[in-house]
Amino acid sequence: MKHTKIAELLESDHFLQDFTAKGWVRAFRSNRFIALNDGSTINNLQCVLDFENTPEEILNEINIGAAISVTGTLKESEGKGQRVEIEVKNIEILGTANPEEVKKTILSPKRHTLEKLREQAHLRVRTNTFSAVMRVRSQLSFAVHQYFNQNGFNYVNTPIITGSDAEGAGEMFKVTNFDLNNAPKNEDGSINYKEDFFGKEANLTVSGQLEGETYALGLGQIYTFGPTFRAENSNTSRHLAEFWMIEPEVAFCDLDGNMDLAEDFIKHVINHVLDNCDDDLAFLENRVIQEDKSKPQAERAPMALREKLRFIVDNNFKRVSYTEAIDILKNSKPNKKKKFNYIIEEWGADLQSEHERYLVEKHFKCPVILFDYPANIKAFYMRLNEDGKTVRAMDILFPGIGEIVGGSQREERLDILQTKMKELGVDEKELWWYLDTRRFGTCVHSGFGLGFERLVLFATGMTNIRDVIPYPRTPKSAEF
């Protein structure tokens, strides 16, 4: 008999019919009640065993973590805690799990820290927390593609291996085919990349934006959604070395249109998980509530998880210029009392996470879009404003996270783009193809980047970005 997903069985009204379910044992009580989970839902299916007529060798193998198949009759449950249950007629052990070995893993019933769960990332998805997080992540991913597809965007796969550095930061992972103990050298002792696989220096991409721009200036509206890499030696709860980026680029779109797009997009994907992940969000919401009980009142989440997500969907984002934000921060109590780690003293300061969160959580108490940043703290490709000192950049700031989106209207004027590249030491020869888009039918265009893991972090209420990606890659850690 074909097996049925547990999520479907728990919603089914086909009582007194026989079904087969397959999954992993979460609990086995009184040699009679099996809690079975197959990953399709956070909720378990209760399977009631006729233990008196079940061979002892089978009973001995029904251990936590074991994979089993049960066939039986779907019935309304007489007990509390579940609407339906399966009265088991036949049970098959598909994969055993030695209870002594299980005790050494995170599959054991005792509560484990998130740090401990990271040590067994291959098993942590069997826990309620991580199965919930990964189902929400999956639905968010679907909603990303759904939004852009419904709005006429073309999905473009930009290169993972690149010769360009979109951020100008230089913190990139090198890609080489050389034997690192015997790399060919030039006469001056430098590495001779002409003999390498690509005939030039190559890196893992930090962004698909530049390549995305070239396709937007032919297809009109495109988006990329793929892995990106940063070689920053950062061990914070907000940074990964490998993460996923969503990057739309739109021709004939200015900064105002870009802000409209980003806000509408974020509201769509969050609304999607509210509509499709209620059981998982309810569990994650309760997890945050329980976790907050051990924290001082000031550190507790001001809103329950689903309330916070609905707040994002139902309210307009506050749009504030960088200049206005600096004035607010300069005159704020934490700044005057030197409570900020980075004191704001003058216009031109690069805002830190503590400043961004103050604006969102304390001052405006809603999501904030900051725009028109100083040119000297932003990338070369952002359009210079008429004042000559600010650029048409925008960042979206969220509670608990700080910056979640960074974007801009792109500099479409060839002469100004070349001047900015020269000032910042960006090699025109390396980006000749990018400059060509300004030579052949240039136009106003805009785009933004959204770090997918930060979106998942926000949507799940988790606090460490390593807990919202299946296998986190961080400094000194590339396990699994």
Side-chain angles (χ1 to χ4, degrees), residues 126-339:
R126 301 264 198 105
T127 67
N128 280 337
T129 297
F130 282 93
S131 65
V133 167
M134 293 306 157
R135 278 187 295 269
V136 172
R137 180 186 171 104
S138 178
Q139 286 295 327
L140 281 171
S141 182
F142 171 79
V144 168
H145 291 293
Q146 180 188 57
Y147 177 85
F148 288 120
N149 185 262
Q150 289 176 352
N151 286 279
F153 281 71
N154 292 287
Y155 179 37
V156 172
N157 301 115
T158 52
I160 290 173
I161 299 173
T162 177
S164 67
D165 177 1
E167 298 296 322
E171 293 165 331
M172 304 176 78
F173 290 104
K174 293 193 182 302
V175 176
T176 181
N177 199 36
F178 284 154
D179 174 356
L180 296 183
N181 293 315
N182 191 29
K185 303 285 181 67
N186 295 310
E187 289 184 5
D188 63 0
S190 61
I191 302 293
N192 181 6
Y193 285 102
K194 289 181 180 178
E195 293 188 27
D196 206 352
F197 186 89
F198 295 106
K200 62 184 292 187
E201 206 168 338
N203 306 288
L204 294 179
T205 186
V206 296
S207 168
Q209 180 209 311
L210 301 188
E211 295 88 350
E213 278 188 58
T214 67
Y215 269 70
L217 297 176
L219 291 175
Q221 298 186 140
I222 69 95
Y223 73 104
T224 75
F225 184 10
T228 51
F229 308 85
R230 298 280 169 92
E232 295 174 346
N233 187 20
S234 176
N235 278 292
T236 76
S237 61
R238 298 168 65 244
H239 290 90
L240 292 165
E242 176 187 86
F243 56 99
W244 286 66
M245 283 283 284
I246 301 156
E247 297 176 291
E249 292 288 334
V250 186
F252 314 112
C253 177
D254 62 11
L255 184 67
D256 288 331
N258 199 32
M259 291 191 282
D260 291 342
L261 174 68
E263 181 172 344
D264 191 55
F265 165 70
I266 289 173
K267 287 180 175 179
H268 171 88
V269 296
I270 290 178
N271 195 56
H272 178 84
V273 295
L274 281 168
D275 287 345
N276 292 277
C277 302
D278 194 60
D279 284 350
D280 288 320
L281 292 176
F283 171 83
L284 292 167
E285 178 179 290
N286 187 60
R287 182 189 167 277
V288 174
I289 291 169
Q290 297 305 317
E291 198 175 65
D292 275 0
K293 287 180 178 178
S294 62
K295 295 179 181 177
Q297 188 67 40
E299 294 179 19
R300 296 179 185 179
M303 294 182 185
L305 178 59
R306 286 172 293 180
E307 182 187 2
K308 177 185 76 172
L309 298 181
R310 288 193 189 96
F311 182 81
I312 296 295
V313 170
D314 294 339
N315 288 278
N316 292 328
F317 294 6
K318 180 73 175 177
R319 300 186 183 186
V320 183
S321 72
Y322 167 89
T323 300
E324 183 184 344
I326 284 293
D327 287 340
I328 291 168
L329 290 167
K330 276 175 65 177
N331 294 310
S332 68
K333 281 186 179 178
N335 199 61
K336 287 182 174 179
K337 294 185 176 180
K338 301 194 183 301
K339 294 287 180 69

Side-chain angles (χ1 to χ4, degrees), residues 238 352-358 360-361 368 395-405 454 458:
R238 298 168 65 244
Q352 304 296 319
S353 179
E354 60 181 343
H355 307 132
E356 295 167 345
R357 291 185 61 179
Y358 175 83
V360 172
E361 297 166 24
V368 173
D395 287 346
I396 298 182
L397 314 180
F398 265 24
I401 297 231
E403 181 196 334
I404 194 168
V405 165
R454 289 195 182 180
F458 183 79

Side-chain angles (χ1 to χ4, degrees), residues 24-65:
W24 296 274
V25 176
R26 285 287 181 87
F28 186 31
R29 294 183 293 112
S30 307
N31 266 5
R32 182 175 172 84
F33 302 104
I34 303 170
L36 193 65
N37 190 284
D38 65 358
S40 62
T41 171
I42 197 165
N43 300 307
N44 301 324
L45 174 67
Q46 178 160 286
C47 305
V48 184
L49 203 62
D50 179 3
F51 69 92
E52 291 178 342
N53 293 305
T54 302
E56 188 173 346
E57 60 268 24
I58 294 288
L59 291 174
N60 290 339
E61 296 291 3
I62 305 174
N63 300 310
I64 291 173

Side-chain angles (χ1 to χ4, degrees), residues 1-6 9 17-25 28 32-38 45-50 54 58 62 66-74 85-94:
M1 185 183 291
K2 181 182 177 183
H3 76 277
T4 305
K5 288 184 176 143
I6 287 174
L9 291 173
Q17 293 186 28
D18 282 2
F19 294 92
T20 295
K22 297 182 180 181
W24 296 274
V25 176
F28 186 31
R32 182 175 172 84
F33 302 104
I34 303 170
L36 193 65
N37 190 284
D38 65 358
L45 174 67
Q46 178 160 286
C47 305
V48 184
L49 203 62
D50 179 3
T54 302
I58 294 288
I62 305 174
I68 65 172
S69 173
V70 297
T71 299
T73 307
L74 186 71
E85 62 190 22
I86 289 277
E87 188 177 276
V88 178
K89 293 180 177 179
N90 183 62
I91 183 168
E92 182 184 356
I93 307 298
L94 304 177

